[in-house]
Amino acid sequence: MECRTQLMKTMPERLNKHTFFFPVFRDRMYPGWKVDLGYRALGLFGSRDAPLNYRRLPAKAAARQFGLVQLMDQSRLDSVGVFTEYQYNWAERICLDTVLDAEQCGATVRNYTKAVKLEPLPGRSWLVTLEDMREPGSTVQVRASILINAAGPWADQVNGQAVQNPRKRLVGIKGVNVMVKLPDECHGLGMETISSIGQPFYCMPWGKYHFFGPTEAVFDGNPEDVRVLPEEVEFILNEANKLFPSLALSREDVVYTWSGVRPRTASTGHEGVKSLTIHDMEGDGMPNALTLTGTPIMLHRHAGRAIARKVKQMLRPSQKEKPLSYEAKLFPENQNSPPIDYDFPGVKVADLRHAAAHEHVETLVDLLFRRVPLGWNIGMGLSSARHAAEAVADILDWDEERVTAEVSNYTHFVQENFNPSWPAPVQG
Ligand SMILES: Cc1cc2nc3c(=O)[nH]c(=O)nc-3n(C[C@H](O)[C@H](O)[C@H](O)COP(=O)(O)OP(=O)(O)OC[C@H]3O[C@@H](n4cnc5c(N)ncnc54)[C@H](O)[C@@H]3O)c2cc1C
């Protein structure tokens, strides 16, 4: 609740406000009074800037008022908790805004750069070898007084570059989401509940569409190889149909799917714990090294502040503290610039050119998924990919051959990671 208040105050442009529901079914484990207790406790940590506005309505009254509730299984529905929820309008941009903030404060930002070797030096410092992924084999070395490993689900692998068999700090938890089109009266409305196997389960509004999920399953493979499996889609659709039987969702209704791996903190249990943890690696033979696990995006600022406090205890700052702006890094106003895709007028050609010039863009995937939100929208930017690549070609020094390669990589990325239900357009 504190993090959402801060985000609402500092970057409201990156958040969408929605009405959400927590259904109270007669046959489920949470009776109304427990739901009230939970949300009222949560509400105590809210603020006037981002209030929870929680109340509970009888099933019939809620169904009359809200389209999404109407579709819930009325034969089992007792009542509905109603509250205000805020959603990132897309996570990659929040990450980028934060990176640009760090750069303004003096950080050196190196996109597509991988730490490939960590060597402890006398005096508790580190020598880190970095490889430029755009030119495999090309490396540089940097000295560091402190090492912060924030490599998410790769964190254990990265520690393995410094010491043999480091203690396991994380458990990879795979998550899958499934995008569908619900009736128009569900627009802007969402739901959270507990699935039939006791895990959090959401129906999230996404423009004119909604996505259901996520799943939670231990994932031991390489996070880069994670892909959605048919049985995971089946599970999500079944759960959705238990809640909204009249929808009778099937595979034909799926617009696209995606998955990822969360870096949950390791514990004695097989599935780890949902706890943000900063591990001091001294006991593993890695002095002046910290490893972060267990951060959902919503807690990223809290995690950043906690790391900064730890670092302050370990190092004497060489300069005075510089304030972070925390603001969304918006594109300059460009009313006269045409949209790149007329179905999605919010993204202008001028925005792409600004991002290409100032925001560390290397690929078309960077541009359309991580600098502007075209990739995350229905159509996924496939029909305007070539137009977008050509619009920034002069800035990024892309010749005709590179433009074609970028468009082809983009199409492959979308097919591979989202498996959209419509065929990819032929790119001329
Ligand atoms: C389906 C799904 C839904 C989710 N929904 C939500 C949600 O609604 N709200 C929420 O708050 N969170 C959500 N999460 C969780 C959230 O995405 C993750 O917890 C979060 O991204 C973890 O952040 P991170 O920075 O620790 O790791 P990551 O975001 O995984 O970042 C780690 C980075 O380290 C880089 N890296 C790896 N190895 C190296 C190396 N050797 N050198 C340099 N860099 C390296 C990687 O390229 C990557 O960019 C969801 C996750 C999934 C999978």
Side-chain angles (χ1 to χ4, degrees):
M1 292 300 284
E2 276 172 22
C3 287
R4 92 178 198 163
T5 296
Q6 197 197 6
L7 283 166
M8 195 52 206
K9 273 184 172 166
T10 55
M11 46 166 64
E13 304 87 348
R14 299 286 184 235
L15 300 184
N16 294 325
K17 187 172 158 182
H18 296 302
T19 299
F20 260 64
F21 308 105
F22 190 104
V24 178
F25 289 110
R26 288 188 195 93
D27 53 354
R28 290 257 172 128
M29 65 197 285
Y30 291 105
W33 68 266
K34 267 195 190 173
V35 175
D36 290 349
L37 198 64
Y39 279 96
R40 297 236 179 269
L42 203 59
L44 294 178
F45 296 95
S47 76
R48 267 191 304 178
D49 297 292
L52 199 59
N53 294 327
Y54 175 77
R55 69 263 187 213
R56 188 154 58 88
L57 299 178
K60 276 198 179 128
R64 268 198 306 274
Q65 213 176 324
F66 302 108
L68 192 68
V69 178
Q70 241 170 57
L71 296 171
M72 291 176 188
D73 186 354
Q74 301 294 322
S75 67
R76 298 189 295 129
L77 193 64
D78 168 79
S79 53
V80 182
V82 185
F83 61 101
T84 303
E85 186 60 293
Y86 295 84
Q87 181 188 41
Y88 292 149
N89 47 29
W90 91 111
E92 289 89 335
R93 185 70 217 192
I94 303 254
C95 183
L96 187 85
D97 284 344
T98 309
V99 167
L100 295 178
D101 240 0
E103 189 170 45
Q104 277 174 14
C105 286
T108 301
V109 173
R110 296 186 64 128
N111 205 359
Y112 290 93
T113 302
K114 185 175 183 178
V116 289
K117 197 170 177 190
L118 308 176
E119 296 168 84
L121 294 174
R124 301 170 68 81
S125 61
W126 289 89
L127 185 66
V128 181
T129 305
L130 302 174
E131 184 174 359
D132 187 338
M133 302 314 286
R134 297 158 306 180
E135 289 177 44
S138 145
T139 59
V140 291
Q141 290 189 316
V142 291
R143 280 169 174 272
S145 307
I146 281 202
L147 196 68
I148 298 167
N149 177 353
W154 291 268
D156 282 345
Q157 271 181 37
V158 169
N159 285 335
Q161 295 172 16
V163 285
Q164 269 192 347
N165 302 319
R167 219 171 98 201
K168 186 175 158 67
R169 300 295 183 166
L170 72 93
V171 177
I173 301 287
K174 180 179 178 185
V176 172
N177 279 318
V178 171
M179 187 76 80
V180 295
K181 174 87 178 81
L182 298 186
D184 287 346
E185 53 270 28
C186 301
H187 188 83
L189 303 174
M191 178 222 60
E192 68 180 43
T193 186
I194 306 294
S195 72
S196 62
I197 56 168
Q199 294 176 347
F201 190 75
Y202 297 87
C203 171
M204 295 274 196
W206 193 252
K208 292 178 182 160
Y209 289 69
H210 283 75
F211 61 88
F212 282 99
T215 53
E216 288 191 5
V218 173
F219 183 79
D220 292 322
N222 187 342
E224 267 154 58
D225 300 333
V226 72
R227 296 289 180 277
V228 178
L229 302 174
E231 56 269 32
E232 292 166 327
V233 177
E234 216 55 50
F235 170 80
I236 289 175
L237 294 177
N238 274 336
E239 288 297 314
N241 284 334
K242 279 178 199 159
L243 297 159
F244 303 101
S246 61
L247 288 175
L249 292 171
S250 70
R251 292 203 59 99
E252 281 67 50
D253 298 300
V254 175
V255 183
Y256 63 81
T257 60
W258 72 100
S259 61
V261 182
R262 310 171 188 88
R264 196 178 279 178
T265 301
S267 71
T268 45
H270 176 59
E271 294 186 352
V273 283
K274 286 183 183 173
S275 144
L276 191 160
T277 309
I278 299 166
H279 310 267
D280 188 331
M281 302 298 293
E282 178 99 42
D284 297 52
M286 295 175 64
N288 272 13
L290 303 173
T291 297
L292 173 70
T293 56
T295 352
I297 302 158
M298 66 181 164
L299 297 186
H300 70 277
R301 292 186 178 181
H302 173 68
R305 282 191 291 269
I307 290 176
R309 274 196 301 275
K310 273 258 188 212
V311 169
K312 258 187 177 173
Q313 291 162 9
M314 299 161 88
L315 269 190
R316 264 239 320 268
S318 57
Q319 292 181 25
K320 266 185 76 176
E321 219 166 276
K322 292 180 187 167
L324 284 166
S325 86
Y326 285 125
E327 285 164 3
K329 308 295 176 287
L330 303 176
F331 297 123
E333 280 282 330
N334 275 297
Q335 301 292 357
N336 297 329
S337 176
I340 198 79
D341 177 342
Y342 279 89
D343 286 338
F344 195 72
V347 178
K348 307 270 172 58
V349 169
D351 301 339
L352 299 187
R353 291 184 62 77
H354 178 87
H358 303 288
E359 297 188 338
H360 302 277
V361 172
E362 294 291 336
T363 68
L364 192 58
V365 175
D366 284 347
L367 188 66
L368 298 188
F369 272 89
R370 302 167 187 145
R371 305 306 184 274
V372 302
L374 207 59
W376 277 107
N377 279 277
I378 304 309
M380 309 199 89
L382 286 168
S383 58
S384 39
R386 175 163 286 275
H387 183 194
E390 284 169 350
V392 296
D394 59 325
I395 299 173
L396 295 173
D397 210 11
W398 291 352
D399 59 14
E400 187 54 35
E401 198 182 326
R402 176 74 187 267
V403 165
T404 301
E406 286 297 328
V407 173
S408 157
N409 289 345
Y410 183 85
T411 309
H412 179 75
F413 176 86
V414 170
Q415 298 291 349
E416 182 80 9
N417 292 285
F418 296 91
N419 196 15
S421 58
W422 62 91
V426 178
Q427 298 282 346

